Amino acid sequence: MMNKIIFILFLFFAGCETAKDAKISTDNLKKISPEKGIYSVVVDESELLWIGKEISTKIHTGTLDLIGGTVQVDNNNNINGSVTISMSSINVTDLQGRAKEMLEGHLRSSDFFDVELHPEATLTFESKSFNQVKNQISFEGQLTIKDISNSIVFDATLLEATPYLKAKGILSFDRSKFNVRFRSGSFFENLGDKLILDDIDINIKLVTKKQ
C-alpha cells in the first residue's frame, strides 16, 4: 500500500514539473515579426531535401537546387512569393557509385520528371494565417512540374527575421497529378512490392535577404 502511495505521488509531481517546463518553454519562445519589404532567395543557403518511398518501406532521399525566387511581406505580415527549382539538379543522397548514377538518371528521364523537356519547376505561395505565438504560417499556392500546375497547401515556421528572413517547412505533393507515372498505383494495377508511392515529401529551408 505504501509503495502505491509513493508511486502516485511521484506521478503527480512529475506531471507538475512537465507542465511547468512546458509553460516556461512557451513563455520563452521568441516571437518573430518579419519587416515589410521584398526579399531575394539566398540560393546557396537554402535547402530542398526530398524523400520518396516504395510500398516495401524502402526509402530514397536526395536534394534539389533552387535557381532563385522572391518573397514579399506587407504591413499586415501577409507573405507571398515564388521560387524556381532546377529539376536537372536532382541528386540522390542515400546511394553511392553506379547505383546513385542510375537512379539519378532514371529520375531525370521521361519515366519520371523528364528534365530535358521540363528543366524547371515553380512554386508560388501566399499566406492564409499567421500564428505569431508559434511563429507558424499556413500557405496556399500552386506547384508546377512538367508544365502541369496543381494547388498545394503547406505550413512553415519562421526561424529568423534579421539579418536574413529564414523559414522551414514540409511540402508534400502527389506525383501522379503531374503525370509522373512510373510504377504508380494511380496508373497501373498489380504492381505488388514494385509499387512506388505517389506522395513525395520535400523538407524546405528557405533563406532570403531583404533587397
Side-chain angles (χ1 to χ4, degrees):
M1 181 66 177
M2 180 63 66
N3 288 339
K4 184 175 182 181
I5 293 173
I6 293 172
F7 180 67
I8 292 172
L9 287 172
F10 171 78
L11 290 179
F12 174 77
F13 286 114
C16 289
E17 185 64 26
T18 301
K20 178 182 176 183
D21 292 345
K23 186 176 188 304
I24 291 173
S25 177
T26 301
D27 289 344
N28 290 341
L29 183 65
K30 181 181 178 182
K31 297 175 179 61
I32 300 172
S33 296
E35 295 181 1
K36 174 186 175 182
I38 298 175
Y39 297 76
S40 297
V41 172
V42 182
V43 172
D44 293 340
E45 296 188 29
S46 299
E47 295 178 346
L48 298 179
L49 310 177
W50 58 263
I51 303 172
K53 303 174 183 178
E54 297 184 20
I55 194 67
S56 62
T57 71
K58 186 176 182 180
I59 295 175
H60 288 298
T61 60
T63 62
L64 287 162
D65 293 340
L66 285 172
I67 295 173
T70 57
V71 173
Q72 184 168 355
V73 182
D74 69 15
N75 286 326
N76 298 315
N77 282 333
N78 296 312
I79 301 173
N80 65 78
S82 65
V83 295
T84 303
I85 303 161
S86 169
M87 296 305 294
S88 59
S89 71
I90 292 174
N91 176 47
V92 174
T93 56
D94 66 295
L95 299 174
Q96 295 181 347
R98 180 61 177 162
K100 170 182 168 71
E101 293 176 3
M102 289 181 64
L103 181 54
E104 288 174 350
H106 198 192
L107 291 173
R108 293 169 186 160
S109 76
S110 58
D111 279 343
F112 282 93
F113 297 102
D114 202 0
V115 302
E116 186 173 346
L117 291 179
H118 309 284
E120 297 179 359
T122 59
L123 171 66
T124 61
F125 51 89
E126 59 179 4
S127 61
K128 291 301 177 182
S129 64
F130 185 7
N131 185 332
Q132 291 183 302
V133 174
K134 297 182 178 180
N135 298 323
Q136 291 183 344
I137 307 171
S138 295
F139 288 98
E140 293 181 1
Q142 290 279 324
L143 179 63
T144 301
I145 300 174
K146 297 176 71 172
D147 294 331
I148 300 170
S149 297
N150 284 289
S151 299
I152 197 162
V153 295
F154 62 97
D155 294 329
T157 301
L158 285 179
L159 303 175
E160 186 178 316
T162 56
Y164 295 97
L165 181 60
K166 300 180 182 180
K168 67 176 181 179
I170 299 177
L171 182 153
S172 298
F173 69 93
D174 182 343
R175 67 185 177 99
S176 69
K177 293 182 178 181
F178 299 90
N179 200 31
V180 180
R181 300 184 170 216
F182 186 78
R183 284 162 50 180
S184 166
S186 297
F187 297 100
F188 304 102
E189 297 180 354
N190 303 317
L191 288 170
D193 61 4
K194 299 296 184 182
L195 176 71
I196 300 175
L197 301 183
D198 286 335
D199 288 339
I200 297 176
D201 297 331
I202 300 181
N203 290 279
I204 302 173
K205 178 186 176 184
L206 194 63
V207 179
T208 65
K209 184 177 181 180
K210 195 172 183 181
Q211 295 181 2

